[in-house]
Amino acid sequence: MGAEIDGIDLAKPVDDTTFAGLRDALHRHHVLIIRGQRLEADKFLAFASRFGRPEPHVLDQYHHPVWPEILMLSNVRRDDQPIGLADGGTYWHSDYSYLEVPARATLLYSITVPKSGGDTLFADQARAYADLDDATKARIDDLRALHLYGNRDDLDPVSRLQAHPLAADQQARNAIRVITHPLVRRHPVTGRKALYAVSGTSIGIEGMDDAEALDLLRELAAFSTQPRYQFRVKYGIGDVVVWDNASVLHSATLTDPGDARTLLRITTKEAARP
Ligand code: SIN
């Protein structure tokens, strides 16, 4: 998992052949890192849009001032107001797994890098699924998990591991409710099976008693996020990172609030409901 691509300038139009190569690399390696770019927000948006339709984040107070498709991830405050979302998910999750049509690729573009911390962690859910024993695969292959916005494992409103709360109007606008997704998903392009969002928004399993469902989800999450399935991205200024939400879980790492970290984030949607 994880491939670094060089020799490409994303400020210039990316031709179709080059883009097809990037897409193939994403499907093979799940996470791409393209370092040292110099991008205006509109150029970043143009590149991200090649992966799918960008979907503005439900936390609309942190949208980029010009481009709502861009979420500002930042712990910087100006005039005592945050200029972005300080922690974009400091727990294992897959983006937009709480929506009926979840995320395809997410892209980050790093603007300010903290002196320490601020890495993003990824866990390979396709490899973890492949390593499960046959009995477990047979048990989980046809299950559907229940999802709801939030971090199942930390609902404490003062914890930095809690998902950022949604206001009532944001919940209504985005039709936030319990929805279901396959627990094991076939990748929409490659068809490869992977565990899907076993951590984060998954709060139960259709037709299964809650205690049994949570035990199973926790067991799968513990298995699939072991260090041997993990990959860590350390940012330099101008790095673009792209990940495939159908194949990985990811987690931000906590950053000291006084150590500035700012990235632009764009998330594109799947073409259809899984
Ligand atoms: C995210 O969870 O989408 C952001 C990851 C990060 O801030 O490192």
Side-chain angles (χ1 to χ4, degrees):
M1 175 171 52
E4 226 172 287
I5 312 278
D6 54 21
I8 184 165
D9 179 358
L10 300 180
K12 300 193 178 131
V14 175
D15 64 72
D16 288 347
T17 310
T18 305
F19 186 72
L22 288 173
R23 237 176 128 244
D24 287 351
L26 180 65
H27 294 148
R28 235 184 354 266
H29 302 286
H30 312 320
V31 182
L32 303 183
I33 305 147
I34 308 164
R35 299 215 183 260
Q37 301 295 307
R38 294 166 76 97
L39 296 176
E40 297 299 328
D42 61 334
K43 294 286 189 301
F44 179 48
L45 179 56
F47 176 62
S49 304
R50 305 284 294 273
F51 290 91
R53 181 172 58 81
E55 169 90 354
H57 198 273
V58 294
L59 293 166
D60 45 6
Q61 67 272 45
Y62 301 125
H63 287 176
H64 183 278
V66 178
W67 305 101
E69 299 90 340
I70 300 178
L71 178 74
M72 301 291 301
L73 280 179
S74 183
N75 57 2
V76 173
R77 297 176 75 88
R78 253 185 228 127
D79 303 326
D80 215 25
Q81 293 300 317
I83 66 160
L85 174 63
D87 289 311
T90 327
Y91 53 91
W92 293 109
H93 65 283
S94 179
D95 288 334
Y96 294 171
S97 55
Y98 51 87
L99 298 179
E100 279 207 343
V101 179
R104 175 91 284 283
T106 297
L107 295 92
L108 297 185
Y109 174 55
S110 124
I111 295 182
T112 310
V113 176
K115 287 188 251 337
S116 68
D119 307 341
T120 310
L121 299 176
F122 297 92
D124 186 338
Q125 300 302 286
R127 227 184 96 209
Y129 173 79
D131 286 351
L132 290 171
D133 59 67
D134 289 346
T136 307
K137 285 182 182 157
R139 179 178 176 211
I140 66 174
D141 262 359
D142 296 321
L143 296 177
R144 292 186 74 84
L146 310 175
H147 292 266
L148 183 64
Y149 179 91
N151 172 14
R152 174 187 80 223
D153 284 327
D154 196 343
L155 303 176
D156 175 353
V158 296
S159 165
R160 287 182 72 194
L161 299 184
Q162 199 221 22
H164 195 291
L166 287 180
D169 62 316
Q170 290 172 326
Q171 299 209 22
R173 234 187 347 269
N174 296 287
I176 300 298
R177 62 189 189 287
V178 176
I179 50 120
T180 69
H181 290 304
L183 186 61
V184 176
R185 274 187 64 188
R186 280 198 180 277
H187 190 277
V189 177
T190 66
R192 188 173 173 197
K193 283 182 171 178
L195 291 169
Y196 179 65
V198 291
S199 170
T201 60
S202 46
I203 55 162
I205 293 176
E206 210 169 50
M208 194 181 281
D209 161 83
D210 279 350
E212 188 188 347
L214 287 178
D215 279 354
L216 177 57
L217 288 168
R218 290 204 175 108
E219 198 183 300
L220 292 171
F223 179 82
S224 70
T225 57
Q226 294 174 86
R228 67 188 156 123
Y229 299 122
Q230 287 186 24
F231 175 73
R232 175 183 290 265
V233 171
K234 286 186 176 296
Y235 294 91
I237 291 171
D239 292 351
V240 170
V241 173
V242 189
W243 67 86
D244 181 343
N245 284 288
S247 306
V248 296
L249 286 171
H250 66 282
S251 174
T253 53
L254 286 174
T255 312
D256 178 345
D259 196 359
R261 178 185 197 250
T262 299
L263 304 102
L264 305 185
R265 181 183 120 157
I266 299 173
T267 301
T268 66
K269 294 268 276 194
E270 295 277 16
R273 195 178 172 188

